[in-house]
């Protein structure tokens, strides 16, 4: 099985065109929201650590704590190993988040190796870390590894937008949503990006994570 990625806006538009051929209800959504931003990042230890720091926090609170960690030089594995729990907590990390980040260090992930691993293998590798769930792993696949067929069925914004798109009477469960969108493969990253933008338009706010 080959690994498909979306490297450019042009490639994303090709996936959107193919997606609309499969699911025409995306056509008016695309016309409404345009081509979404890819929002790619460089990935690696620091990206995952930042995602963990931001869990269950407001954007402002997460940004504030992250900046304190950056200023203190506490965003690398070696720095975390050398720091005491008290030092990390002094920068705003909770006891639980400190445990999560130490688990990330202990797993010593080979981030370059993730680039050639299949999606599910990447998810299994990342979710072995305490504090990383499937959603966070899927965001890493989509935004850091640029994978082309990622659909986060547990994402609230995607569930709400999909409910509107598909004309469902109520918000779908993750299992229902997975079944309803299987045919969108291998273009589900394009679907995710469009649905986040659509949710933003429905709620008049930005919904794309990270």
């Amino acid at each position: 099985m080959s690994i498909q990625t979306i490297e450019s806006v042009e490639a994303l538009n090709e996936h959107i065109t193919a997606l609309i051929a499969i699911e025409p209800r995306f056509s008016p959504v695309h016309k409404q929201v345009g081509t979404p931003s890819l929002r790619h990042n460089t990935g690696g230890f620091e990206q995952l650590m930042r995602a963990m720091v931001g869990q269950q926090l407001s954007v402002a609170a997460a940004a504030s704590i992250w900046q304190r960690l950056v200023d203190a030089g506490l965003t690398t594995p070696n720095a975390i190993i050398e720091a005491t729990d008290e030092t990390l907590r002094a920068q705003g990390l909770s006891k639980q988040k400190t445990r999560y980040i130490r688990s990330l260090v202990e797993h010593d992930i080979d981030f370059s190796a993730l680039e050639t691993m299949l999606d599910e293998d990447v998810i299994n590798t990342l979710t072995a870390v305490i504090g990383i769930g499937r959603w966070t792993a899927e965001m890493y696949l989509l935004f850091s590894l640029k994978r082309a067929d990622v659909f986060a069925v547990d994402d609230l914004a995607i569930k709400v937008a999909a409910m509107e798109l598909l004309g469902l009477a109520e918000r779908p469960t993750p299992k229902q949503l997975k079944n309803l969108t299987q045919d969108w493969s291998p273009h589900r990253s394009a679907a995710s990006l469009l649905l986040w933008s659509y949710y933003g338009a429905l709620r008049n706010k930005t919904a794309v994570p990270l």
Side-chain angles (χ1 to χ4, degrees):
M1 182 180 289
S2 62
I3 294 172
Q4 292 191 48
T5 59
I6 298 177
E7 301 286 342
S8 65
V9 173
E10 290 76 18
L12 175 58
N13 278 322
E14 291 176 4
H15 277 273
I16 290 173
T17 299
L19 175 66
I20 290 171
I22 297 168
E23 177 48 81
R25 283 175 285 193
F26 272 109
S27 182
V29 170
H30 185 219
K31 288 177 182 176
Q32 179 181 354
V33 304
T35 300
S37 169
L38 288 169
R39 296 178 67 93
H40 287 158
N41 58 58
T42 56
F45 177 89
E46 188 170 304
Q47 183 64 37
L48 268 182
M49 179 179 168
R50 184 168 190 171
M52 297 170 86
V53 168
Q55 288 175 359
Q56 299 178 322
L57 293 176
S58 69
V59 173
S64 175
I65 293 172
W66 182 252
Q67 190 58 53
R68 287 164 66 181
L69 290 164
V70 170
D71 292 344
L74 294 171
T75 59
T76 65
N78 285 340
I80 299 300
I81 289 170
E82 294 174 2
T84 65
D85 287 0
E86 289 71 23
T87 297
L88 295 174
R89 287 192 206 128
Q91 309 310 319
L93 289 181
S94 66
K95 183 177 180 180
Q96 184 181 55
K97 293 282 180 69
T98 297
R99 178 169 172 253
Y100 290 172
I101 290 166
R102 291 207 183 282
S103 179
L104 178 61
V105 172
E106 289 164 5
H107 277 79
D108 192 23
I109 294 168
D110 182 347
F111 288 99
S112 61
L114 297 182
E115 296 176 10
T116 57
M117 292 169 61
L118 297 178
D119 290 0
E120 281 300 319
D121 292 334
V122 172
I123 289 172
N124 290 336
T125 298
L126 296 183
T127 56
V129 176
I130 299 170
I132 294 182
R134 187 177 180 91
W135 183 88
T136 299
E138 288 170 336
M139 296 308 100
Y140 193 89
L141 278 171
L142 180 56
F143 296 112
S144 300
L145 297 180
K146 309 175 185 177
R147 298 299 171 86
D149 198 30
V150 180
F151 195 76
V153 296
D154 294 307
D155 187 274
L156 175 61
I158 282 183
K159 286 190 282 190
V160 171
M163 180 180 73
E164 295 288 335
L165 176 87
L166 300 173
L168 304 176
E170 57 187 17
R171 194 180 301 162
T173 65
K175 184 177 180 180
Q176 289 169 336
L177 191 54
K178 182 178 180 180
N179 291 335
L180 287 167
T181 60
Q182 288 282 20
D183 290 345
W184 299 354
S185 181
H187 313 290
R188 287 178 294 187
S189 290
S192 293
L193 293 169
L194 283 171
L195 288 173
W196 274 315
S197 292
Y198 186 40
Y199 177 88
L202 292 170
R203 297 294 187 269
N204 193 30
K205 64 180 182 180
T206 300
V208 178
L210 300 185

